[in-house]
């Protein structure tokens, strides 16, 4: 692949006819880099959902 991952994600989102729901399952840095590199992509993202965890405090409760 000659393009980097951010260009790839940008291209995939840009091709969608409707705004997408973007789910972040890891570091938020990748989303930040994408939005900084391609600020126009914001119009194609309807919702951002962040699925995060914790360090040192385990998510073991029913609400986790």
């Amino acid at each position: 692949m000659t393009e980097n991952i951010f260009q790839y994600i940008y291209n995939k989102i840009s091709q969608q006819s409707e705004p997408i729901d973007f789910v972040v399952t890891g570091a938020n840095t990748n989303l930040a880099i994408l939005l900084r590199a391609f600020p126009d992509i914001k119009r194609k993202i309807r919702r951002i959902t962040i699925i995060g965890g914790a360090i040192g405090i385990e998510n073991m409760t029913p609400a986790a």
Side-chain angles (χ1 to χ4, degrees), residues 17-39:
S17 59
E18 298 287 328
I20 60 130
D21 293 343
F22 195 105
V23 179
V24 180
T25 59
N28 296 329
T29 309
N30 291 339
L31 176 61
I33 292 169
L34 178 71
L35 294 173
R36 190 160 190 150
F38 306 100

Side-chain angles (χ1 to χ4, degrees), residues 29-56:
T29 309
N30 291 339
L31 176 61
I33 292 169
L34 178 71
L35 294 173
R36 190 160 190 150
F38 306 100
D40 62 302
I41 201 66
K42 292 176 192 173
R43 64 182 173 76
K44 298 292 280 187
I45 299 174
R46 174 179 48 199
R47 178 182 309 138
I48 297 171
T49 302
I50 298 172
I51 300 174
I55 297 175

